[in-house]
Amino acid sequence: MKKNVLVLEGGAMRSLYTSGILDVLMENNIEFDCVVGVSAGALTGCNYISGQKGRTANININYCKDSRYIGIKAFKNNKGLIGFDYLFDTISKEKIPFDWEKFNNSDKRFVIGATNCKTGKTEFFEKGEEKLETLLQASSSMPIVSNIVNIKGQPYLDGAVDCNIPIEWAINENYEKIVVVLTRSSDYRKKEMSKSAKKLYDKKFSEYPKLLDSIYNRPQKYNELYKQIEKMKNENKIFVFQPQKAVKVSRLERNKEKLKELYTQGIDEAEERIEELKRYLNS
């Protein structure tokens, strides 16, 4: 049985909570054999692999109001509301450089989930299997507001469409210790999509009926998964970091103070439970 794995939920800007958790893990030199994430969980996870404490928070807090990152200029250049070109080029090469040397030399396994539009199912890609930026963009490309990303001739979108929290992947990979970072509080339940929204999705993705099935089944699947995680946590089969109060940050939040508050919440809650985590990992 493999030793331990860190499982990261998506949630776009709600990943500021995750970045607070991971920064505390880095401060305490807590490492995992594997990190698996979808959507913003993958974007946050790559900075944990490269050992860059504070990088996720710095990017999202400092550039949330920059329309080249989120907004009109991003749409002009990317045909979507997220400026992946600005993130991966200008920010990651010039403003807040990504440590490629440390990332590439890390012996940690890094796995990214993205949803295949043809099958409607999440597929997982290993570090080095494809260009990192391509995998991260595919995993983080939210339907409607982002374009489809092609990988090896196949169309992909947000990994969270089919698999919000890749805990089943971690279980199937036979990891002994599973640590999960969620971005919603325990009382959150995803609501059914409105009829008007369904019409929009039907029109946009008419050629991908299995993708539509996954999109429409997502609320029920998500809510059932949260119940499963709660049960496993209570049975001490997994360790879970989860916001202790309702998260009021939207997916594309541009309020810096809200983002700072959520980041600080992640730090505080991780620091409160760091000894508990160590006991779980060493038990």
Side-chain angles (χ1 to χ4, degrees):
M1 185 174 280
K2 301 169 189 175
K3 193 173 181 183
N4 59 45
V5 60
L6 182 62
V7 177
L8 305 177
E9 181 179 12
M13 285 302 198
R14 290 188 290 273
S15 67
L16 264 294
Y17 177 80
T18 305
S19 67
I21 299 289
L22 299 193
D23 284 354
V24 173
L25 297 186
M26 283 187 269
E27 281 182 356
N28 286 270
N29 298 312
I30 295 178
E31 299 187 350
F32 292 81
D33 300 294
C34 175
V35 178
V36 57
V38 296
S39 198
L43 284 168
T44 307
C46 70
N47 294 316
Y48 172 77
I49 298 292
S50 66
Q52 291 178 272
K53 177 178 172 288
R55 185 172 185 268
T56 298
N58 285 339
I59 291 173
N60 288 322
I61 293 171
N62 292 330
Y63 292 93
C64 65
K65 291 188 175 182
D66 191 327
S67 66
R68 292 170 294 181
Y69 182 37
I70 303 172
I72 298 299
K73 290 182 180 178
F75 186 83
K76 181 179 178 181
N77 295 330
N78 293 259
K79 304 304 178 187
L81 289 179
I82 309 298
F84 289 107
D85 62 332
Y86 188 60
L87 171 62
F88 295 137
D89 291 332
T90 304
I91 294 177
S92 294
K93 292 178 181 178
E94 300 172 15
K95 306 292 186 181
I96 309 176
F98 182 66
D99 192 336
W100 280 103
E101 182 177 2
K102 191 165 184 181
F103 177 85
N104 289 328
N105 290 334
S106 172
D107 59 359
K108 297 182 181 71
R109 189 181 179 193
F110 184 48
V111 182
I112 301 170
T115 303
N116 186 312
C117 297
K118 291 182 178 179
T119 66
K121 300 298 181 183
T122 300
E123 296 176 7
F124 292 92
F125 298 88
E126 298 275 351
K127 170 187 171 184
E129 189 174 343
E130 181 62 69
K131 186 178 179 182
L132 178 63
E133 295 96 324
T134 301
L135 294 176
L136 292 174
Q137 182 172 344
S139 183
S140 306
S141 290
M142 295 179 285
I144 302 294
V145 301
S146 300
N147 279 341
I148 286 172
V149 176
N150 285 298
I151 301 175
K152 299 176 182 178
Q154 294 293 310
Y156 292 88
L157 279 172
D158 197 332
V161 168
D162 174 59
C163 177
N164 292 278
I165 308 154
I167 189 166
E168 185 176 347
W169 180 91
I171 293 170
N172 291 338
E173 288 288 305
N174 293 316
Y175 280 99
E176 181 181 4
K177 299 291 183 178
I178 300 175
V179 176
V180 183
V181 182
L182 304 178
T183 54
R184 290 285 198 181
S185 56
S186 60
D187 59 348
Y188 175 78
R189 294 295 180 270
K190 193 173 288 294
K191 297 178 181 179
E192 295 292 331
M193 187 179 293
S194 67
K195 290 183 180 180
S196 58
K198 283 187 177 181
K199 287 182 180 179
L200 181 62
Y201 278 88
D202 283 340
K203 183 177 180 180
K204 178 74 173 179
F205 300 112
S206 58
E207 64 181 299
Y208 299 116
K210 292 183 179 179
L211 175 66
L212 288 172
D213 287 342
S214 290
I215 290 172
Y216 298 152
N217 291 331
R218 188 182 178 198
Q220 179 182 353
K221 188 174 182 179
Y222 183 89
N223 294 339
E224 289 175 352
L225 183 57
Y226 252 52
K227 289 179 182 178
Q228 177 190 349
I229 288 173
E230 183 72 17
K231 183 175 183 292
M232 294 179 70
K233 179 184 73 173
N234 292 337
E235 294 172 348
N236 203 38
K237 293 180 178 178
I238 60 175
F239 188 97
V240 179
F241 284 109
Q242 183 172 30
Q244 295 304 297
K245 58 183 179 181
V247 176
K248 297 181 179 180
V249 166
S250 65
R251 289 192 302 173
L252 299 179
E253 184 65 62
R254 304 184 76 181
N255 184 313
K256 289 188 177 184
E257 293 308 313
K258 282 187 177 182
L259 295 175
K260 288 178 183 177
E261 184 179 343
L262 185 59
Y263 174 55
T264 301
Q265 181 182 344
I267 292 174
D268 291 344
E269 292 182 8
E271 288 178 341
E272 287 174 3
R273 300 184 64 207
I274 198 69
E275 294 304 320
E276 182 186 352
L277 173 64
K278 290 177 181 178
R279 289 194 295 271
Y280 169 77
L281 292 174
N282 294 323
S283 64

